[in-house]
Amino acid sequence: MSDCLFCKIISGEIPSSCVYEDDQVFAFNDIDPQAPVHFLVIPKEHISGADAITSENSAVVAHIFEVIANLAKKHKLDGFRVVSNCGQSAGQTVMHLHFHVLSGRDMTWPPG
Ligand code: 5GP
Ligand code: ZN
């Protein structure tokens, strides 16, 4: 999608600190980290959010969680949180499906 920030990050039009890439997904460090480790994992296909996951596009979500598990092992994360904000009221600011991976500090529950 031409006017999507994360599509521009995938294409390299906007630079990012990439931590992983394959044919289906892209992962990069968040520009405004909320924990010592904070990266985002996104599908290369533009999906607007968790509410736009369908039987046609959901396979990439399973792959994203496999990538997250592999990155957690690679970086020896001692516990981590995966968050996907969906919709403005839940705090979604970029309308391209993304999974925050946060680690390196104690997390509180419930989230704000
Ligand atoms: P959301 O608020 O939609 O759940 O998450 C969007 C995330 O994208 C935020 O954590 C924000 O810091 C991050 N972000 C916004 N713009 C950029 C950018 O240009 N580069 C990177 N690396 N992260 C960004
Ligand atoms: Zn996009």
Side-chain angles (χ1 to χ4, degrees):
M1 228 188 147
S2 58
D3 63 346
C4 170
L5 175 70
F6 285 176
C7 283
K8 287 179 181 170
I9 284 180
I10 292 164
S11 72
E13 188 180 339
I14 292 175
S16 69
S17 162
C18 178
V19 296
Y20 177 81
E21 180 177 14
D22 65 25
D23 58 328
Q24 294 179 70
V25 313
F26 193 82
F28 56 104
N29 287 312
D30 197 292
I31 204 167
D32 181 21
Q34 302 301 312
V37 174
H38 184 178
F39 58 87
L40 303 170
V41 188
I42 67 177
K44 286 191 168 176
E45 177 189 356
H46 180 89
I47 299 170
S48 59
D51 57 349
I53 296 168
T54 66
S55 55
E56 277 75 42
N57 64 22
S58 63
V60 72
V61 178
H63 183 59
I64 283 172
F65 274 84
E66 188 185 340
V67 166
I68 290 171
N70 288 338
L71 288 172
K73 283 188 200 90
K74 182 179 172 189
H75 296 286
K76 297 185 167 51
L77 301 186
D78 181 24
F80 59 91
R81 181 172 289 178
V82 182
V83 175
S84 187
N85 299 319
C86 181
Q88 213 172 7
S89 65
Q92 184 178 7
T93 58
V94 180
M95 298 301 151
H96 181 127
L97 178 65
H98 52 282
F99 295 87
H100 297 258
V101 179
L102 301 133
S103 185
R105 65 166 169 80
D106 289 341
M107 304 281 163
T108 58
W109 192 263

